[in-house]
Amino acid sequence: MDPIIDWQISRHDIKSRGQYLLETGKWADCHFLVGQEPNHQMLAGHKLILAMASPVFEAMFYGGLAEKNDPIPILDIDPSAFKSLLEYIYTDKISINSVDRACELCYGAKKYMLPHVVEQCITFLWSDLCPKNVCRAYEFAKLFEEPRLMEKCLQIMCTKTIDVVQDSSFEDVELSTIITILDQDVLNIDSELNLFWAINKYAEKHGLCASRNSDSSQSNNDQDPVDSPQSPPTVDVEAGPSNVQRAVGNPSMPLGNDQQAAPIPLINTNRQQELPTIRDAIRRIRFLSLNPQQFAEGPARTNLLTQSEAFAILMNISTSNSCYPMPEGFTTNKNPRNAFSDSTPASPMAGPSGNAPPMGHRPGTSGGPSGLFTQHVPPPQPAPLPSQTVPAPAPAPVPAAHPGSPQSPDFYPDYLDELRANDSNYDRKYYCRRIMRQQTECLNTSVLDCSLTFIVDRSVCITGIEVPSQVQGSSIVGNDRYSELLYAHLLDAHGSRLTYTHCNQRVQYNSMLEIAFDRPVFIQRHKMYKIGVVFNKVGWYPVSQSVAKVNCDNVCFTFCVGSQSESVRDGLIRTIVFTYTRDGIAYP
């Protein structure tokens, strides 16, 4: 028996056979060129196996506009992460051994709609959080809109602040993450010096320290003395993965090779967007909580403050009646943040599948200025975070239809048959169109995902959504259509998928695209649901923020339920299409 010819004989299950096909490339009918030069790799695949696991691959290989290129370039995923995705598809194995791998793998899993892999990545991050990786995990959770993971990361950053800011990984975090830490009222630090020296080290590494003789330059338009032209671009995670800012006034600006190799998620606006700088972090340091000696021997001698700023701050530390005002924009808060005591109990945190406390609550604490921790006051009482919206208790999952349930025909009295016969409204579709504010544009260079949570005050059936098509740039001449490729799903409050659909067709630029779900879904009133959409075509999309509530017919929709903040990406979901019937059944 030839082991090469009769390889199936020694492999007794589908996983081992899939492993053999993956490793050898036997019968491969597609290839992927993964990663950036010079580290890209050629990987073989099998269309049928890939399409069985992912609706993205299904549309790619068997849709109306099937992929004709071979190899298929995949520039936005690391080769090792893509190999892990293939390993899961072929063998059901998921290999995660680091926070970086979990983030890379989760990005690919979201792109190719592999929700089980996403869940495992989130679970790994929950179990592996520590001061060394908590900032990276926080930025990941913010990027992919995982509010519970964000909250746990923030708690670790508050309770182990010194370990977080003194770790070498802190020098590579985003400025927005540093500012988030500085916005907390209670941190586990000895004094503000712990925070100041961490920021000073961060500024030195990124070349953000200026000369002390910058008072004159600061007076011109209040320029920040520590900002430099060599500063790295600031990342705005609200824009989503792999989206690059379009130059203002030049909508047709082509992408350069460097932009494709390292896409930076930014949003284009009609005015200069206010992005965080190192000065925003410095102004949040509570210098007035230090004594004169601490300040004079420390921050006053660095290049992060001008001489005039250092003098004014020192005068305000020395006396409360100083005739010198604090420098513009600097905090005047004198309260120390280190409001911990030895009796403060530890915070037990359950994983995603456990009984974690509701967002904004922490067992064993009472509500304090920061909303996270205060000095221990027995008995401890949970309190919500003032800066967050506490979501309603998780609703029960939507049950399957059974006799006597709201989804079963025999639940409704006979008079509804007459009502349906006399009221044509029960057969029509309604379009709950969200009211958009100032519109901006976002460039999708690979995959752009968005999500929208909502509740309704009346039970209805969701049949689909409307999303905007791409914005036609001036470089596109003589063609008013393009090939769109996107995926949408509807989830309940527990993250279970209720229905989904995908769109793979030619559409007009600057138009609205109605997408029907595979089946209508009964939505119960006063329960939270979530719609997610993933765009997979390169191009410019219009994004915007919208109002929180919209009334349509006799139904009130409340959007962004339980979200800490509204994202402009939510505006990609413009309309929710619904009816009052499903399969001829009317809902009161």
Side-chain angles (χ1 to χ4, degrees):
M1 182 178 64
D2 190 330
I4 302 300
I5 297 177
D6 302 322
W7 59 271
Q8 300 94 334
I9 304 300
S10 60
R11 290 166 175 82
H12 307 295
D13 53 54
I14 190 66
K15 295 180 181 179
S16 59
R17 296 171 196 142
Q19 183 74 36
Y20 179 84
L21 294 177
L22 179 62
E23 292 175 349
T24 63
K26 189 177 182 65
W27 303 329
D29 55 358
C30 63
H31 298 82
F32 301 94
L33 186 62
V34 186
Q36 297 285 339
E37 294 183 359
N39 300 318
H40 58 235
Q41 296 184 24
M42 186 75 71
L43 302 176
H46 305 77
K47 294 180 179 179
L48 180 61
I49 297 177
L50 295 171
M52 288 171 57
S54 164
V56 178
F57 285 126
E58 178 186 6
M60 183 184 296
F61 297 129
Y62 300 109
L65 297 172
E67 181 67 55
K68 299 295 192 300
N69 296 327
D70 193 85
I72 301 168
I74 300 178
L75 307 180
D76 58 329
I77 300 181
D78 182 78
S80 60
F82 194 77
K83 286 180 180 178
S84 296
L85 287 178
L86 293 179
E87 183 181 27
Y88 164 73
I89 291 174
Y90 280 77
T91 69
D92 284 339
K93 296 178 182 177
I94 302 178
S95 302
I96 308 175
N97 52 20
S98 69
V99 169
D100 286 341
R101 171 52 56 86
C103 296
E104 294 168 354
L105 194 58
C106 188
Y107 172 79
K110 279 183 171 279
K111 177 176 181 178
Y112 294 105
M113 293 186 70
L114 300 171
H116 180 65
V117 179
V118 174
E119 180 182 347
Q120 293 302 309
C121 293
I122 300 298
T123 301
F124 177 86
L125 291 174
W126 272 83
S127 63
D128 196 52
L129 286 178
C130 65
K132 181 178 180 64
N133 59 38
V134 68
C135 291
R136 165 82 163 143
Y138 176 84
E139 292 162 1
F140 162 84
K142 185 177 180 182
L143 181 65
F144 288 108
E145 298 179 341
E146 296 290 342
R148 290 182 59 204
L149 180 59
M150 286 178 61
E151 183 191 11
K152 182 180 180 183
C153 292
L154 187 57
Q155 288 184 348
I156 293 177
M157 289 189 285
C158 291
T159 57
K160 299 183 179 180
T161 313
I162 294 180
D163 294 332
V164 171
V165 301
Q166 291 182 352
D167 191 88
S168 60
S169 62
F170 189 74
E171 299 173 13
D172 299 315
V173 305
E174 298 174 3
L175 271 171
S176 59
T177 303
I178 296 177
I179 290 175
T180 297
I181 295 175
L182 295 174
D183 283 338
Q184 306 307 310
D185 279 339
V186 181
L187 298 172
N188 192 0
I189 56 177
D190 298 326
S191 73
E192 292 292 302
L193 292 177
N194 297 125
L195 302 175
F196 180 85
W197 291 122
I199 295 175
N200 184 69
K201 191 173 182 181
Y202 181 95
E204 289 177 348
K205 177 176 180 178
H206 294 280
L208 303 179
C209 289
S211 170
R212 290 300 299 272
N213 298 322
S214 57
D215 287 351
S216 58
S217 64
Q218 185 188 6
S219 62
N220 298 326
N221 300 325
D222 192 28
Q223 295 177 351
D224 291 339
V226 294
D227 290 339
S228 70
Q230 292 77 27
S231 301
T234 305
V235 175
D236 178 9
V237 296
E238 283 295 328
S242 304
N243 302 302
V244 183
Q245 185 178 22
R246 186 202 302 237
V248 177
N250 186 13
S252 60
M253 179 190 69
L255 291 176
N257 294 332
D258 56 335
Q259 291 171 320
Q260 292 182 355
I264 303 171
L266 292 177
I267 289 291
N268 172 45
T269 62
N270 295 325
R271 57 184 177 84
Q272 182 65 37
Q273 188 167 2
E274 297 179 0
L275 299 176
T277 67
I278 196 70
R279 290 287 286 178
D280 294 320
I282 296 170
R283 291 175 177 133
R284 285 168 166 79
I285 297 293
R286 299 182 181 180
F287 293 112
L288 299 186
S289 67
L290 303 175
N291 61 45
Q293 182 178 357
Q294 287 177 319
F295 180 80
E297 294 179 355
R301 297 185 177 184
T302 68
N303 291 332
L304 290 180
L305 298 171
T306 66
Q307 292 179 352
S308 61
E309 288 173 341
F311 177 78
I313 294 173
L314 183 59
M315 291 298 99
N316 280 271
I317 293 176
S318 302
T319 175
S320 58
N321 298 321
S322 174
C323 60
Y324 296 93
M326 283 288 288
E328 183 178 358
F330 281 69
T331 179
T332 58
N333 195 328
K334 300 180 180 180
N335 299 321
R337 306 180 203 246
N338 53 345
F340 284 86
S341 66
D342 295 337
S343 58
T344 303
S347 173
M349 293 297 298
S353 60
N355 296 321
M359 183 183 301
H361 287 71
R362 174 182 181 268
T365 62
S366 58
S370 71
L372 279 174
F373 311 109
T374 63
Q375 292 181 339
H376 181 62
V377 179
Q381 297 292 331
L385 286 166
S387 60
Q388 298 178 348
T389 301
V390 180
V398 179
H402 60 82
S405 75
Q407 300 187 40
S408 177
D410 61 2
F411 174 81
Y412 298 97
D414 295 337
Y415 75 86
L416 286 180
D417 292 333
E418 181 180 356
L419 178 63
R420 289 197 299 272
N422 297 326
D423 189 352
S424 60
N425 288 341
Y426 278 97
D427 294 325
R428 61 176 291 191
K429 290 192 297 185
Y430 290 85
Y431 293 78
C432 177
R433 291 191 168 92
R434 305 173 65 201
I435 302 174
M436 296 291 121
R437 297 170 182 161
Q438 181 180 3
Q439 182 172 293
T440 61
E441 295 173 4
C442 178
L443 175 60
N444 179 25
T445 63
S446 177
V447 56
L448 175 65
D449 67 319
C450 60
S451 62
L452 178 67
T453 55
F454 69 95
I455 60 174
V456 292
D457 64 350
R458 179 178 178 183
S459 298
V460 295
C461 279
I462 303 296
T463 64
I465 58 174
E466 283 186 338
V467 298
S469 62
Q470 292 184 3
V471 178
Q472 188 175 19
S474 59
S475 61
I476 303 174
V477 180
N479 190 359
D480 62 348
R481 290 179 176 270
Y482 72 99
S483 299
E484 183 59 271
L485 178 62
L486 60 85
Y487 311 89
H489 56 245
L490 176 62
L491 310 177
D492 64 14
H494 302 281
S496 299
R497 191 173 71 179
L498 304 177
T499 186
Y500 72 98
T501 188
H502 67 269
C503 171
N504 188 3
Q505 64 186 49
R506 292 189 63 79
V507 300
Q508 284 188 335
Y509 287 99
N510 307 313
S511 63
M512 294 299 297
L513 177 61
E514 182 175 348
I515 305 170
F517 287 121
D518 284 4
R519 64 181 183 87
V521 174
F522 172 55
I523 297 297
Q524 300 184 58
R525 62 180 181 176
H526 306 316
K527 294 185 181 295
M528 188 177 74
Y529 295 87
K530 183 176 183 178
I531 293 175
V533 180
V534 180
F535 295 83
N536 280 272
K537 277 294 181 179
V538 173
W540 292 96
Y541 287 89
V543 295
S544 176
Q545 293 182 334
S546 69
V547 299
K549 290 188 177 183
V550 176
N551 290 300
C552 181
D553 195 52
N554 295 319
V555 183
C556 177
F557 284 77
T558 303
F559 299 105
C560 300
V561 180
S563 301
Q564 290 180 314
S565 60
E566 184 182 5
S567 167
V568 291
R569 283 185 289 159
D570 298 342
L572 285 167
I573 304 173
R574 295 292 176 88
T575 307
I576 296 181
V577 186
F578 69 96
T579 69
Y580 293 112
T581 65
R582 191 192 68 180
D583 300 331
I585 304 169
Y587 297 99

